[in-house]
Amino acid sequence: MDRRDFIKKATMAAAGAAVVSPVSAMLNTVTDEGKTKCKVLMINGSPRSDGNTFCCLQEIETTLQKHGIETEIVQIGRKPVRMCINCGGCHQNGGKGCVFDDDLCSVITEKMATADALIVGTPVYYGQPNGGVLSLMQRLFFSAGHLVQNKPAAALAVCRRGGATATLQTMNMMFEMMNMPVVTSQYWNIAYGAGKGEVKLDTEGMQTMRTLATNMAFLLQKIHADGNPAPQRDERPQFMNFIR
């Protein structure tokens, strides 16, 4: 058996085990009286409102709702999204967010205040996330980082052929800097498709999205089970430049 066959069989075995003993079997029913109701905010980082990225988010949304998780998908659309200019105005206005309040960033900032988790989907452009998504996330995290701290997050990438792993790495680096638990799946959160709706033909990709949603629901319920979703830290952040 060569390396390729071994990896394929090992992956199939792992997927089969997940089907036999899914995380969903351990999930609490959050719709029962007295249970905490959680909400996941999802951002469609594609200019196409009903393209392949949206199809992936819909697959995630359906699974999350089955587990009693509220969802909302926000389209980035085709209007310009300002980039962060490092003016520092957001740190001087009492935590109200970015001083530019004329685009999607202000909408997302308001929604993050009541969301318990974040999922961001993006198409792959030249091996990178959509530029609008990067501008949005950088401004959101810099101006309103307190709203995302300790909230689970996940990114997903949709591509025709390549560049998806680099795109995921770029997105996950932002989540890690904000103390956001990164939710995983059975594979990297990638789906493949070129034409509109083609991503639905990627059966493994769609299953990856459903597993991601199940893991997100499981983690959210565990985090909120004791009513104390944020860890207690003894140290304040320390920043150091290597040049002295």
Side-chain angles (χ1 to χ4, degrees), residues 14 19 56 64 75 77-79 109 124-125 147 152 171 173 178 187-188 192 206 209 213 223 225:
V19 171
C56 290
L64 284 172
Q75 310 288 344
R78 298 185 174 182
K79 294 182 179 180
T109 299
V124 175
Y125 294 163
L147 296 179
M171 299 298 297
M173 287 175 71
M178 304 307 294
Y187 191 74
W188 297 299
Y192 293 90
M206 291 295 97
M209 300 303 146
I223 288 176

Side-chain angles (χ1 to χ4, degrees), residues 6-225:
F6 173 80
I7 293 175
K8 182 177 180 180
K9 293 193 176 205
T11 302
M12 291 177 66
V19 171
V20 173
S21 179
V23 175
S24 57
M26 297 181 284
L27 282 168
N28 296 322
T29 306
V30 297
T31 52
D32 289 347
E33 186 176 355
K35 299 284 186 177
T36 301
K37 194 74 171 181
C38 295
K39 179 179 180 179
V40 176
L41 177 64
M42 296 188 283
I43 300 174
N44 178 8
S46 171
R48 298 178 179 177
S49 61
D50 58 351
N52 288 321
T53 304
F54 180 68
C55 290
C56 290
L57 292 173
Q58 272 193 320
E59 195 76 11
I60 294 172
E61 180 177 56
T62 299
T63 302
L64 284 172
Q65 291 178 351
K66 286 181 180 178
H67 294 307
I69 305 295
E70 293 183 9
T71 60
E72 181 180 4
I73 299 178
V74 178
Q75 310 288 344
I76 195 171
R78 298 185 174 182
K79 294 182 179 180
V81 180
R82 291 176 181 265
M83 67 177 184
C84 179
I85 62 172
N86 195 27
C87 66
C90 56
H91 295 167
Q92 302 171 11
N93 63 7
K96 296 180 181 179
C98 184
V99 294
F100 295 134
D101 59 358
D102 56 351
D103 64 11
L104 185 63
C105 186
S106 59
V107 175
I108 297 298
T109 299
E110 182 178 349
K111 292 182 181 296
M112 274 309 305
T114 57
D116 300 287
L118 176 66
I119 296 177
V120 184
T122 177
V124 175
Y125 294 163
Y126 297 96
Q128 304 168 79
N130 178 3
V133 170
L134 288 177
S135 293
L136 171 65
M137 301 309 296
Q138 289 169 1
R139 278 175 56 211
L140 171 67
F141 286 2
F142 189 67
S143 64
H146 61 287
L147 296 179
V148 301
Q149 288 282 335
N150 304 304
K151 295 181 178 180
L156 66 94
V158 178
C159 66
R160 181 190 67 83
R161 184 172 179 85
T165 53
T167 297
L168 286 178
Q169 289 170 349
T170 300
M171 299 298 297
N172 285 339
M173 287 175 71
M174 291 188 282
F175 299 149
E176 292 175 8
M177 286 189 67
M178 304 307 294
N179 291 304
M180 304 177 79
V182 178
V183 181
T184 58
S185 185
Q186 65 192 44
Y187 191 74
W188 297 299
N189 303 329
I190 297 169
Y192 293 90
K196 181 179 178 180
E198 279 187 357
V199 73
K200 294 180 180 179
L201 302 177
D202 180 4
T203 55
E204 183 177 354
M206 291 295 97
Q207 186 183 57
T208 298
M209 300 303 146
R210 294 192 296 271
T211 303
L212 168 62
T214 298
N215 290 347
M216 173 68 82
F218 176 78
L219 181 58
L220 277 173
Q221 292 180 37
K222 292 299 182 182
I223 288 176
H224 291 272

